[in-house]
Amino acid sequence: MSMGRPWDGDLQLASVADKQKPGSTTLVEYTPPVFKEEEEDLEIKLRRIMENVPVRVSNTSGSSAGSGSGDFHQYRQMRRKEQDRLTRMDADYQKRKEVVEFNMRMEERVKTAEELTAKKRLKRQKKKQRKKEKKNKLNANGEEHKKEQLSDDDGDSGNEEDAAK
């Protein structure tokens, strides 16, 4: 089956209408047409499938008219093989589907867990920050209170001396 593109490095014979020599043929290098990326991907996939899938025709009937007594058994065997192949394909499809669903559920659970962890981390950080601010505030108030007491003690001692005079 031709894809419309030659394999790498192939040359094609193409006739080029030359104004000087009408009807002459010249050997030109084939330049492939420009494809969109998705078209090229599809073509590559199709080529890979065509190369890897074997074309087998087994147990073909003869050219004589009518069917023999063994044809029914051949038919049953071919039918059984085809049913087995379809069963394997279905099982493979189900397995892949389950894996994809599992991965989606896993990603969703991980995302939910990360969000919950981030929320709790933020809450812990806020609590820690409030505790730190409260401690700093108490320290600042305590220092002011100590300064006031020291100034009061100095002032009281001065007042006592004034009162003693």
Side-chain angles (χ1 to χ4, degrees):
M1 180 175 172
S2 175
M3 299 287 176
R5 291 175 32 177
W7 297 99
D8 295 331
D10 287 349
L11 296 178
Q12 286 185 342
L13 185 62
S15 65
V16 177
D18 194 6
K19 292 182 180 178
Q20 296 173 352
K21 298 179 183 177
S24 70
T25 58
T26 327
L27 188 63
V28 244
E29 186 173 336
Y30 177 78
T31 55
V34 178
F35 288 101
K36 294 179 184 174
E37 187 175 321
E38 57 193 37
E39 289 176 354
E40 191 170 317
D41 290 342
L42 290 174
E43 190 168 328
I44 290 169
K45 288 178 183 178
L46 180 62
R47 185 180 309 146
R48 187 179 308 131
I49 290 171
M50 295 295 290
E51 290 172 354
N52 293 331
V53 174
V55 178
R56 288 185 288 204
V57 179
S58 59
N59 296 328
T60 57
S61 300
S63 61
S64 63
S67 58
S69 60
D71 287 344
F72 177 69
H73 302 293
Q74 289 179 353
Y75 164 76
R76 279 186 23 190
Q77 181 184 15
M78 289 188 317
R79 184 170 176 263
R80 188 181 72 238
K81 284 183 181 179
E82 182 67 13
Q83 291 296 328
D84 291 344
R85 186 181 74 85
L86 292 175
T87 304
R88 284 193 312 268
M89 285 173 52
D90 287 341
D92 184 45
Y93 172 76
Q94 288 297 329
K95 187 177 179 181
R96 289 181 186 200
K97 186 177 173 183
E98 289 173 2
V99 167
V100 168
E101 289 175 357
F102 173 77
N103 288 339
M104 286 175 54
R105 284 194 311 264
M106 181 69 90
E107 289 175 5
E108 190 175 310
R109 288 178 183 158
V110 166
K111 184 179 176 183
T112 305
E114 287 176 356
E115 289 174 356
L116 188 60
T117 303
K119 185 177 178 182
K120 288 184 177 182
R121 181 186 312 118
L122 184 62
K123 188 175 179 180
R124 285 193 309 270
Q125 288 174 346
K126 284 182 179 179
K127 184 177 179 182
K128 188 176 179 181
Q129 185 67 27
R130 282 194 305 263
K131 187 176 180 182
K132 194 174 186 180
E133 288 174 2
K134 186 176 181 182
K135 186 177 179 182
N136 288 341
K137 188 176 180 182
L138 287 176
N139 286 342
N141 287 341
E143 289 176 8
E144 289 176 10
H145 187 64
K146 285 182 182 179
K147 286 181 182 177
E148 287 176 9
Q149 286 180 349
L150 289 176
S151 64
D152 287 345
D153 289 341
D154 292 340
D156 288 341
S157 61
N159 290 337
E160 291 173 3
E161 289 175 5
D162 291 338
K165 287 183 186 178

